[in-house]
């Protein structure tokens, strides 16, 4: 039986490759002392089931909220690159600046083969 592969640890590993990031977390911090910060969330849904009704392919959507005190453009590019390296495509980029915080919202999509762990579009 093929189980859904949980891509979260791979996402964290890739985000930690962006040297400028001081915080990579799935939860918003109580204080914003570690900046720039990447707060990620994931959503998964079955993409295709096999004849035995096992989830063969899972569609993952990954959202990365990037926060900092100065321009985030270079970090955005780096995050897009490191997630592309494992097969995820950047499907949306939005700005959501709040008061003194710069905020960028990056959305990625990929379909994971739960047997081979390859990521497709």
């Amino acid at each position: 039986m093929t189980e859904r592969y949980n891509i979260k640890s791979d996402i964290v590993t890739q985000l930690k490759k962006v040297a400028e990031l001081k915080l990579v977390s799935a939860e918003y911090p109580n204080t914003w002392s570690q900046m720039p910060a990447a707060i990620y969330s994931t959503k998964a849904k079955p993409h295709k089931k096999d004849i035995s009704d096992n989830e063969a392919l899972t569609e993952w959507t990954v959202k990365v909220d990037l926060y900092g005190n100065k321009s985030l453009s270079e970090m955005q590019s780096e995050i897009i690159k490191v997630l592309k390296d494992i097969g995820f495509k950047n499907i949306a980029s939005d700005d959501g600046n709040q008061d003194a915080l710069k905020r960028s919202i990056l959305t990625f999509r990929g379909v994971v083969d739960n047997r081979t762990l390859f990521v497709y579009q």
Side-chain angles (χ1 to χ4, degrees), residues 27-39:
E27 299 177 10
Y28 286 91
N30 292 330
T31 63
W32 292 96
S33 59
Q34 294 179 295
M35 297 283 260
I39 312 302

Side-chain angles (χ1 to χ4, degrees), residues 38-56:
I39 312 302
Y40 71 92
S41 62
T42 60
K43 182 169 48 171
K45 66 180 182 179
H47 186 71
K48 184 176 184 180
K49 293 189 175 191
D50 64 18
I51 197 164
S52 301
D53 203 35
N54 294 319
E55 191 172 324

